[in-house]
Amino acid sequence: MTPYRIIDCHVHDHLELACIRGYQLLIETSTGEIRATAITLTTKADKSEYLTVKNGAGEQAIRLDHILAITPLTQGAAFSRVVIAPTEKSEKD
């Protein structure tokens, strides 16, 4: 597994708010998309951070530096799409 890349503080604010308010999210990762409800953020002993979400498939923890972007699907959410890790294409633009 690759070393953990620390996520910007402003992203944490959005993720914490999503967990506190139980937002439904569209989570974009390098391996696909997940639609799920934000539950909590956790930090492991190695300082890697995870977003725990829940959907019809159950709960799962997603390492934050594997998330490309989140978009709240909850009506009236306090924020819109947040890009967490730019893709290689967006870095070249």
Side-chain angles (χ1 to χ4, degrees):
M1 184 163 276
T2 60
Y4 181 73
R5 271 187 349 247
I6 296 173
I7 302 301
D8 289 337
C9 289
H10 82 278
V11 172
H12 278 279
D13 294 344
H14 290 69
L15 292 169
E16 287 175 357
L17 184 61
C19 292
I20 289 167
R21 296 192 178 167
Y23 284 171
Q24 279 284 144
L25 298 175
L26 171 62
I27 303 161
E28 300 168 49
T29 71
S30 57
T31 58
E33 296 180 347
I34 301 163
R35 292 176 189 269
T37 302
I39 304 293
T40 191
L41 293 169
T42 55
T43 303
K44 306 278 182 174
D46 67 357
K47 304 294 182 196
S48 60
E49 301 168 292
Y50 291 79
L51 170 64
T52 301
V53 297
K54 184 176 183 177
N55 61 16
E59 285 189 11
Q60 73 180 93
I62 305 165
R63 201 168 104 164
L64 296 189
D65 64 342
H66 290 177
I67 299 173
L68 303 176
I70 60 168
T71 304
L73 302 174
T74 301
Q75 201 72 342
F79 61 91
S80 57
R81 186 172 189 263
V82 176
V83 175
I84 296 172
T87 62
E88 287 181 25
K89 182 181 180 211
S90 66
E91 287 176 352
K92 293 176 185 175
D93 293 343

